[in-house]
Amino acid sequence: MKYVLMFIETEDYLKELDAMTPGEREQAYQRVYQWFDDHRDKISDRGNKLQGAETATTVRLDGGVAMTTDGPFIEGKEVVSGFTEIDVADLDEALRMVKTWPACPVVEIRPVAEM
């Protein structure tokens, strides 16, 4: 079954990253690269890091009218910062995999809708 993992950064997590020395930050990134390598047989793509929420453009479609605004679609202290697609047997396997994620403190797991 295919799932998308959405990696969600919090304000506290970003503060922790900012407080790291360059060497500590590099070690943190290496743990993420290792996680992707450890699970490469289940990952459909290598994932992508998104630019900051302030770079987002949101389009709301309401009654045939498209309204465009800058920024994320809601105000929040958590923001999706990246994503990857995985192909695993079931949600339990996805949960086991995500429980070893070494970076941002929130990961949303969502099944991919087959079209």
Side-chain angles (χ1 to χ4, degrees):
M1 180 156 199
K2 290 185 180 180
Y3 292 91
V4 170
L5 307 181
M6 290 177 278
F7 306 111
I8 301 170
E9 293 178 347
T10 62
E11 287 180 344
D12 288 342
Y13 177 74
L14 291 175
K15 287 177 188 173
E16 289 174 19
L17 273 180
D18 286 342
M20 289 180 181
T21 66
E24 291 169 331
R25 197 172 301 113
E26 180 59 31
Q27 287 177 339
Y29 291 143
Q30 288 302 323
R31 286 190 295 273
V32 170
Y33 302 145
Q34 185 64 51
W35 184 89
F36 275 99
D37 193 45
D38 291 346
H39 298 286
R40 69 181 170 272
D41 60 324
K42 298 174 186 96
I43 296 173
S44 305
D45 66 50
R46 284 299 281 180
N48 291 288
K49 174 83 171 136
L50 300 173
Q51 293 186 21
E54 70 280 358
T55 67
T57 300
T58 299
V59 179
R60 288 181 176 81
L61 303 172
D62 186 19
V65 176
M67 178 181 274
T68 304
T69 57
D70 292 335
F73 65 98
I74 58 170
E75 293 288 328
K77 297 190 183 287
E78 297 180 348
V79 64
V80 176
S81 62
F83 61 93
T84 194
E85 184 179 291
I86 61 172
D87 194 350
V88 293
D90 53 27
L91 180 58
D92 289 336
E93 186 176 2
L95 286 167
R96 283 191 300 275
M97 188 174 163
V98 166
K99 286 179 181 177
T100 65
W101 174 244
C104 55
V106 180
V107 179
E108 181 176 329
I109 303 169
R110 194 176 302 181
V112 173
E114 297 296 328
M115 303 299 278

